[in-house]
Amino acid sequence: MKIIDAHMHYFNVDGFKEVAANAGYENTAACWQQICEENNIVFSVAMGFKRAV
C-alpha cells in the first residue's frame, strides 16, 4: 500500500543525529529518501525549523 501522507520530524542538530544513529539510520536527506522508498511513502510532510542566527 502506498502511503500518501506521512508526518516526519527533520532537524539537523546533534540530538536528532543521535536518535537517528540509535535507530540505525543517518539524519540526512538521502537516508530520509531511502526510508520513504523502502516503505512506499510517496508523499510526506517534514516538520522542522531553522534557528535564528
Side-chain angles (χ1 to χ4, degrees):
M1 171 186 344
K2 290 184 179 179
I3 300 170
I4 59 170
D5 186 16
H7 176 111
M8 301 179 184
H9 289 266
Y10 179 80
F11 191 49
N12 193 20
V13 294
D14 290 338
F16 274 50
K17 293 174 187 176
E18 183 180 346
V19 169
N22 288 340
Y25 297 107
E26 294 178 353
N27 186 38
T28 63
C31 189
W32 179 25
Q33 179 69 36
Q34 178 185 345
I35 291 166
C36 288
E37 290 172 4
E38 290 173 354
N39 292 283
N40 294 316
I41 298 170
V42 296
F43 179 82
S44 64
V45 176
M47 304 300 290
F49 64 93
K50 182 177 179 180
R51 289 186 184 193
V53 188

